[in-house]
């Protein structure tokens, strides 16, 4: 009798890219990682690394569509003896950005699930179509294999209605599915649990504020392992100042830009999502470049940094109030893990809330979770590298690893 398959392929299909990792869930080790970018262009590139051998291969040239991209990925995996036809492959796990209120946990995909993800496109027009393309292509390549959708929004479905509802007519809100869904859920779930482990406690015994700070940025208040509030809302535009997104904004600004500025809704959408945030304020959305400009005395960069940190501190304070008792604040994602200046500025002046940093610990660069608060601090401050691919693989394997996974919406 052959052993049960233990490998999970994780696919993250964007509008013009596919990121992937193949993991062995016996020890959560990575066997291969890669990226296909600029799909649909003449300058497409595939970069594939076989982790077990250390070999990295690159291909440049046109990749017509996601089907061609995934076929190229399958070919690269096969070269390393890790192909999609391997009997050791248990499932393919897909990141899906928006699951609405319908999907509250990982779900084995069938036609009804696909239809529901498609129905959610109006509230995730940039993300769900690309996710669907990746799923359909993978199903065509391996129709016999379980395919699992892991939703960015699922972790936040535990928010109470008082946090999830906007103060608008409930009938209108319900008709158009308007509520606060939150995003980056796989990261917030992973980091909140990893922070509890770092403290030597069970997740249900810990209250954590998670700060996922990348080009997209979000905060969450996690009480005993359950999200009770998060900064992003109906879309990923709400909340913190981000690389190119404005974050929180008086809605009347939009009316003003239409009536006084004569701007179209598409122009405003582009402004708030792609030409705002750090980029809109100073022309850069790379925190390293902003730090360099600040060091050179650039006042535009300094102001952008100040606005970014001011918003971040407001959310830390707000979530201290929401949680009542905070055991830890965890920084994660590209900026959160690597920008010591951001962590220092975000915590500065919050000693009254029990927050403080050890400057030497904060300056350390490391790949492992670590505390950067002084010994004996009332609230631990941590840097916890996120691992969304491992979280997706873990949730996928937990669902299908026994070989008896239920399928579809009614599972």
């Amino acid at each position: 009798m052959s052993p049960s398959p233990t490998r999970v392929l994780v696919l993250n299909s964007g509008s013009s890219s596919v990121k992937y990792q193949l993991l062995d869930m016996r020890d959560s080790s990575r066997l291969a990682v890669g990226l296909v970018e600029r799909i649909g262009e003449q300058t497409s590139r595939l970069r594939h690394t076989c982790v077990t051998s250390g070999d990295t291969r690159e291909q440049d040239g046109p990749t017509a569509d996601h089907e061609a991209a995934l076929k190229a990925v399958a070919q690269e995996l096969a070269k390393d003896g890790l192909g999609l036809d391997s009997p050791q492959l248990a499932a393919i796990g897909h990141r899906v950005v928006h699951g609405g209120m319908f999907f509250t946990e990982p779900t084995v995909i069938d036609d009804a699930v696909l239809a529901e993800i498609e129905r959610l496109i109006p509230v995730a027009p940039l993300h769900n179509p690309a996710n669907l393309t990746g799923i359909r292509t993978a199903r065509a390549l391996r129709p016999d294999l379980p395919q699992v959708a892991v939703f960015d929004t699922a972790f936040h479905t535990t928010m109470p209605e008082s946090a999830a509802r906007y103060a608008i007519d409930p009938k209108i809100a319900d008709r158009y599915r308007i509520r606060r869904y939150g995003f980056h859920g796989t990261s917030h779930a992973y980091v909140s649990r990893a922070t509890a482990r770092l403290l030597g406690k069970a997740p249900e015994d810990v209250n954590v504020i998670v700060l996922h700070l990348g080009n997209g940025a979000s905060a969450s208040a996690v009480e005993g392992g359950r999200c009770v509030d998060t900064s992003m809302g109906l879309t990923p535009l709400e909340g913190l100042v981000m690389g190119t997104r404005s974050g929180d904004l008086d809605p009347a600004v939009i009316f003003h830009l239409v009536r006084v500025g004569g701007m179209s809704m598409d122009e405003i959408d582009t402004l708030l999502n792609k030409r705002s945030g750090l980029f809109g304020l100073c022309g850069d959305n790379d925190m390293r470049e902003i730090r360099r400009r600040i060091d050179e005395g650039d006042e535009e960069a300094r102001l952008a940094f100040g606005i970014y940190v001011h918003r971040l501190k407001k959310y830390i304070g707000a979530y201290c109030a929401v949680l009542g008792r905070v055991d830890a604040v965890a920084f994660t994602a590209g900026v959160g893990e690597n920008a010591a200046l951001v962590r220092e500025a975000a915590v500065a002046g919050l000693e009254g809330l029990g927050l403080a940093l050890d400057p030497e610990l904060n300056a350390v660069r490391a790949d492992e979770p670590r505390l950067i608060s002084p010994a004996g601090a009332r609230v631990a401050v941590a840097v916890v590298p996120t691992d969304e691919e491992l979280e997706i693989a873990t949730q996928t394997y937990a669902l299908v690893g026994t070989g008896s996974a239920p399928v579809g919406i009614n599972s």
Side-chain angles (χ1 to χ4, degrees):
M1 184 177 180
S2 59
S4 298
T6 60
R7 294 176 182 171
V8 173
L9 177 64
V10 175
L11 294 178
N12 183 350
S13 298
S15 58
S16 61
S17 67
V18 174
K19 291 190 286 188
Y20 63 94
Q21 291 193 14
L22 180 67
L23 298 95
D24 190 325
M25 300 314 296
R26 289 175 297 183
D27 57 4
S28 300
S29 61
R30 283 166 176 76
L31 304 177
V33 300
L35 168 67
V36 187
E37 56 187 338
R38 298 193 292 273
I39 294 171
E41 301 179 21
Q42 294 296 310
T43 57
S44 305
R45 167 171 289 184
L46 187 157
R47 180 181 176 88
H48 172 90
T49 299
C50 177
V51 177
T52 52
S53 68
D55 292 338
T56 295
R57 299 186 292 272
E58 292 189 3
Q59 292 181 25
D60 293 306
T63 301
D65 51 29
H66 283 72
E67 181 178 359
L70 284 175
K71 286 181 177 177
V73 169
Q75 290 171 0
E76 289 302 312
L77 290 167
K79 291 176 184 177
D80 300 318
L82 305 169
L84 295 188
D85 58 352
S86 169
Q88 297 181 65
L89 187 61
I92 298 177
H94 298 267
R95 180 200 181 205
V96 179
V97 167
H98 214 310
M101 288 302 293
F102 208 87
F103 298 107
T104 61
E105 57 189 15
T107 304
V108 177
I109 298 165
D110 62 8
D111 290 342
V113 170
L114 279 176
E116 183 63 21
I117 295 172
E118 190 163 16
R119 284 213 315 136
L120 287 163
I121 286 176
V123 290
L126 298 178
H127 299 95
N128 274 29
N131 301 154
L132 282 166
T133 300
I135 291 169
R136 288 179 172 132
T137 303
R139 290 181 86 200
L141 290 173
R142 278 298 306 269
D144 59 313
L145 196 69
Q147 313 257 344
V148 175
V150 178
F151 299 91
D152 273 12
T153 49
F155 182 65
H156 303 303
T157 58
T158 56
M159 285 192 294
E161 288 293 278
S162 56
R165 286 276 186 179
Y166 291 108
I168 64 174
D169 184 332
K171 293 186 180 65
I172 292 175
D174 291 343
R175 184 183 310 158
Y176 298 109
R177 301 187 178 199
I178 298 171
R179 62 184 292 120
R180 303 186 62 251
Y181 293 102
F183 299 89
H184 296 144
T186 51
S187 177
H188 287 281
Y190 177 86
V191 170
S192 60
R193 289 200 307 272
T195 302
R197 287 196 300 271
L198 185 62
L199 299 180
K201 297 181 178 181
E204 56 267 27
D205 296 328
V206 177
N207 290 354
V208 185
I209 297 172
V210 178
L211 304 172
H212 177 108
L213 308 179
N215 191 51
S218 61
S220 67
V222 183
E223 182 178 52
R226 294 166 58 86
C227 178
V228 295
D229 205 350
T230 193
S231 58
M232 287 179 168
L234 174 72
T235 76
L237 181 59
E238 186 180 354
L240 302 175
V241 175
M242 305 176 220
T244 65
R245 298 182 192 129
S246 65
D248 290 340
L249 190 77
D250 180 350
V253 170
I254 296 170
F255 313 148
H256 183 78
L257 291 175
V258 171
R259 293 166 180 159
V260 179
M263 295 178 68
S264 70
M265 295 308 295
D266 285 345
E267 288 173 328
I268 296 171
D269 190 320
T270 298
L271 171 69
L272 298 182
N273 277 292
K274 298 180 180 179
R275 303 195 60 81
S276 294
L278 292 170
F279 178 79
L281 289 166
C282 71
D284 272 309
N285 61 332
D286 187 322
M287 192 60 74
R288 294 165 296 188
E289 182 65 15
I290 292 171
R291 171 65 189 270
R292 183 193 65 77
R293 288 172 56 182
I294 291 172
D295 290 342
E296 293 178 354
D298 187 316
E299 288 303 316
E300 196 175 57
R302 188 183 301 280
L303 177 59
F305 184 82
I307 294 170
Y308 179 95
V309 170
H310 180 78
R311 183 81 53 80
L312 186 55
K313 289 178 115 167
K314 284 176 69 174
Y315 269 91
I316 294 172
Y319 287 171
C320 284
V322 167
L323 290 170
R325 187 199 83 240
V326 178
D327 299 298
V329 173
F331 289 87
T332 193
V335 174
E337 294 170 29
N338 297 301
L341 180 63
V342 169
R343 298 192 297 261
E344 177 187 342
V347 171
L350 301 183
E351 292 83 4
L353 299 176
L355 293 164
L357 293 186
D358 181 308
E360 292 184 4
L361 294 176
N362 187 42
V364 171
R365 296 289 292 270
D367 295 329
E368 298 299 320
R370 62 196 186 277
L371 293 176
I372 58 173
S373 47
R378 178 155 57 92
V379 178
V381 181
V383 179
V384 180
T386 192
D387 198 332
E388 294 175 89
E389 289 77 16
L390 176 58
E391 180 69 17
I392 292 169
T394 300
Q395 292 190 28
T396 297
Y397 192 67
L399 190 59
V400 307
T402 62
S404 59
V407 177
I409 285 176
N410 295 318
S411 61

